[in-house]
Amino acid sequence: GQQLNQSPQSMFIQEGEDVSMNCTSSSIFNTWLWYKQEPGEGPVLLIALYKAGELTSNGRLTAQFGITRKDSFLNISASIPSDVGIYFCAGRRGSNYQLIWGAGTKLIIKP
Amino acid sequence: EAEVAQSPRYKITEKSQAVAFWCDPISGHATLYWYRQILGQGPELLVQFQDESVVDDSQLPKDRFSAERLKGVDSTLKIQPAELGDSAMYLCASSLGSMLENEQFFGPGTRLTVL
């Protein structure tokens, strides 16, 4: 099915570093969501964005709804070991309430 | 904290056998979703229920997959017969409704391995 372009595919970082990932599309979206999935578990909703330009934080996580409505960014500050997992973006277009998903960004923290 | 429950968590079966997965959504959530997730990919919607009615099953392989939500609460997804390519994580999610800002909350999933 249709997917969003999510990058990078994976990240290897040191504990304490800041992390940035993004999701882009050629189409306009009216909702952007960011989920985190740990091995063997279902995705957990982190942040939901509904307005172009919106900037929302959840602890050390900050996400933005791009002004063009075609992209979104997720930043994690001062990463810690429990941040390890796969981060998925998902979005909605027009009047269709179904979610379109990115392929995920795998975050690995080097010891 | 309310959660979506799924069982079993893991299922190993041989091809051509029948398998069934169960989901109990968060209390009061009218909309229920079944997704399939292949390793390294995002979830793919199989079927969406609003109460007991199917809203969208366009991606459900109806020759072998079936889903029901008879009383509009819990739901069962069945595969018969299972094929090797069905090995995946099957996720259930629920939301208050399908309108904007009624976001989906996921269960822990059922990991299916078909041998």
Side-chain angles (χ1 to χ4, degrees):
Chain A
Q2 180 179 7
Q3 284 197 330
L4 299 169
N5 299 313
Q6 190 171 348
S7 66
Q9 186 175 12
S10 60
M11 302 183 73
F12 295 80
I13 64 167
Q14 296 277 7
E15 183 177 350
E17 287 185 11
D18 295 343
V19 171
S20 184
M21 60 190 77
N22 69 82
C23 215
T24 62
S25 174
S26 58
S27 302
I28 290 175
F29 282 71
N30 56 34
T31 301
W32 286 98
L33 307 171
W34 286 92
Y35 285 85
K36 178 188 178 186
Q37 187 174 27
E38 298 185 12
E41 299 294 333
V44 174
L45 182 63
L46 300 173
I47 294 178
L49 303 161
Y50 302 107
K51 297 179 182 177
E54 182 179 357
L55 185 72
T56 298
S57 293
N58 178 4
R60 293 177 296 105
L61 278 61
T62 302
Q64 185 163 22
F65 193 136
I67 290 293
T68 65
R69 300 177 62 189
K70 294 181 179 181
D71 57 12
S72 180
F73 304 85
L74 176 69
N75 295 315
I76 305 173
S77 63
S79 59
I80 60 177
S82 62
D83 291 333
V84 165
I86 302 177
Y87 292 80
F88 287 98
C89 64
R92 286 196 192 90
R93 296 191 301 146
S95 59
N96 190 332
Y97 298 117
Q98 291 183 7
L99 294 178
I100 298 170
W101 291 80
T105 294
K106 187 173 184 178
L107 181 61
I108 299 167
I109 297 181
K110 293 181 278 189
Chain B
E1 182 175 312
E3 294 180 340
V4 176
Q6 287 189 249
S7 67
R9 292 292 308 274
Y10 305 93
K11 179 69 178 179
I12 300 174
T13 190
E14 294 184 344
K15 63 180 181 179
S16 79
Q17 296 298 305
V19 293
F21 313 132
W22 176 78
C23 172
D24 191 13
I26 294 172
S27 178
H29 280 197
T31 309
L32 185 147
Y33 312 79
W34 282 102
Y35 287 89
R36 176 171 58 189
Q37 184 179 29
I38 296 169
L39 199 62
Q41 297 182 18
E44 170 197 15
L45 181 68
L46 293 175
V47 61
Q48 177 181 339
F49 288 92
Q50 180 67 30
D51 299 311
E52 67 276 7
S53 301
V54 173
V55 173
D56 186 347
D57 62 356
S58 58
Q59 300 302 313
L60 188 71
K62 298 181 187 64
D63 57 335
R64 297 184 301 106
F65 286 64
S66 64
E68 60 183 16
R69 193 184 184 198
L70 294 176
K71 296 182 179 179
V73 181
D74 59 338
S75 176
T76 302
L77 178 69
K78 297 179 180 178
I79 308 175
Q80 181 173 17
E83 296 181 353
L84 295 177
D86 295 332
S87 294
M89 175 78 94
Y90 289 83
L91 295 163
C92 179
S94 70
S95 63
L96 277 172
S98 59
M99 301 299 289
L100 280 177
E101 305 195 24
N102 288 332
E103 301 309 339
Q104 298 177 29
F105 295 87
F106 285 80
T110 296
R111 170 70 67 185
L112 174 66
T113 302
V114 182
L115 303 175

